[in-house]
Amino acid sequence: MKVLIIEDDKEINLLLGKILNRENYEVTSAYTGIEGKLFTDVEDFDLILLDLMLPGISGEEVIEYIRKKKKEMPILVISAKIDKETKLNVLRIGADDFIMKPFDADEVMARVDANLRRYKQFSSPSVPCEILTYKDLEMDLEEIKISVKGQEINLTPIEFKILKLLLSYPKKIFTKENIYRCVWNDEFYGDENTVNVHISNIRNKISRIDNEIEYIKTIWGMGFRMS
C-alpha cells in the first residue's frame, strides 16, 4: 500500500513515516502543498495524510486539486486546527477523516487501516455484479459508478458507502448513529456534523445534474431516508 504524507514539519513527517513503515506501508514524503500536488500527478497512492498549514498553498487547496482530478483515494487530514468550522470545511471539500495534533500513533494506524479497508472494498473487482436504482439515480456496484440521468457523478468512498446504505433500504429511516456505525464501523460519540456534511456533499453532487427531484430526505428528529 502506498501512502503520501504531505507535512512541512520534518520531524512530524518522519514520525508518520516510521509509524507507517512499521506496518509495511510504502511511504512517500512531501513537505509543501505544491510538492504534494506534483506527486499526485505522477504517482497513484492508496491514501494521503495531509497537514493543512503548508507553505505555498494550503492543505485545503491540495484537497480541492486532488478531487478535481477525480482521484478518489482517502484523504486524512492531520492538523492542529481543531475548530469546528475547519473540520466541517475539509469534509465538505473532500477529506474523508480528521486527526487532531498531537496525535497518537495507534489512532493514526487505526484510521489509516479503516479508511483503506473501506476504499479497497469499493474499488475491488470482486464486488458482485449488482445495480441499485432509485428514480433517475443508478449505482453500479461492480464498476463502482453512480449516475444521475445518465451522467456520472464522483463520490468519495465514504459518500459512496452512505448512499449505498440508503439505496439498499430506500424506505428505511436511518438515524445519524445508524449511518455512522454502519459506514465508519466505529462507536458514535454524538458528532452529528460528520454525517450531516457527507449527506450534504452527496445531495450537492446529485443536484448539479438533477435539482428538480429530492433524492435524500431529512426526517426531522429522526434521520435520513431516500425521499
Side-chain angles (χ1 to χ4, degrees):
M1 294 285 188
K2 297 174 65 176
V3 176
L4 174 63
I5 300 171
I6 309 175
E7 165 64 68
D8 64 311
D9 186 305
K10 292 184 178 180
E11 290 186 3
I12 294 176
N13 199 314
L14 180 62
L15 174 60
L16 288 169
K18 287 181 177 179
I19 292 169
L20 290 161
N21 284 148
R22 283 201 300 263
E23 301 298 325
N24 298 315
Y25 285 95
E26 181 182 339
V27 174
T28 299
S29 292
Y31 298 91
T32 68
I34 293 174
E35 189 179 11
K37 285 171 59 177
L38 289 173
F39 274 122
T40 65
D41 284 339
V42 299
E43 288 189 57
D44 291 324
F45 295 95
D46 297 291
L47 181 139
I48 294 176
L49 288 173
L50 174 69
D51 185 26
L52 294 180
M53 294 182 284
L54 297 167
I57 63 172
S58 69
E60 288 91 342
E61 291 175 277
V62 175
I63 295 171
E64 291 176 329
Y65 177 81
I66 292 170
R67 294 311 187 208
K68 284 178 182 177
K69 300 279 285 186
K70 297 185 178 179
K71 293 178 179 285
E72 302 300 337
M73 79 287 280
I75 300 175
L76 278 63
V77 169
I78 300 184
S79 179
K81 295 172 68 176
I82 60 174
D83 60 283
K84 175 181 174 182
E85 190 54 43
T86 295
K87 292 177 67 175
L88 294 180
N89 182 55
V90 297
L91 291 171
R92 289 189 188 105
I93 62 178
D96 295 278
D97 210 344
F98 194 103
I99 302 171
M100 292 183 291
K101 294 179 180 177
F103 53 80
D104 176 81
D106 290 337
E107 180 189 2
V108 171
M109 281 313 311
R111 291 183 182 273
V112 166
D113 289 341
N115 278 275
L116 278 172
R117 187 167 58 249
R118 287 190 290 267
Y119 177 57
K120 291 303 176 183
Q121 177 183 351
F122 293 115
S123 60
S124 171
S126 63
V127 175
C129 180
E130 185 179 355
I131 294 178
L132 300 176
T133 59
Y134 188 81
K135 297 182 180 178
D136 290 321
L137 187 151
E138 183 176 285
M139 174 180 281
D140 188 323
L141 298 180
E142 181 179 24
E143 297 189 8
I144 317 301
K145 289 182 179 180
I146 303 154
S147 60
V148 179
K149 292 187 172 179
Q151 296 185 53
E152 188 174 345
I153 62 173
N154 293 288
L155 301 184
T156 67
I158 290 290
E159 292 164 2
F160 188 98
K161 192 168 185 180
I162 291 173
L163 186 56
K164 178 176 179 287
L165 179 67
L166 297 176
L167 285 172
S168 297
Y169 306 92
K171 295 182 180 181
K172 177 179 172 60
I173 298 173
F174 288 90
T175 67
K176 292 170 186 177
E177 181 175 357
N178 292 153
I179 294 172
Y180 195 90
R181 286 179 180 274
C182 290
V183 172
W184 278 266
N185 193 28
D186 198 0
E187 291 298 318
F188 180 72
Y189 297 106
D191 185 8
E192 297 184 350
N193 286 316
T194 298
V195 174
N196 288 341
V197 168
H198 287 290
I199 291 287
S200 178
N201 286 346
I202 296 168
R203 283 171 165 161
N204 289 337
K205 290 176 181 180
I206 292 174
S207 68
R208 290 170 194 163
I209 298 172
D210 186 357
N211 60 8
E212 296 180 357
I213 300 176
E214 181 181 38
Y215 284 85
I216 301 176
K217 185 177 183 63
T218 299
I219 310 298
W220 297 107
M222 299 179 69
F224 302 98
R225 65 170 172 81
M226 303 306 292
S227 65

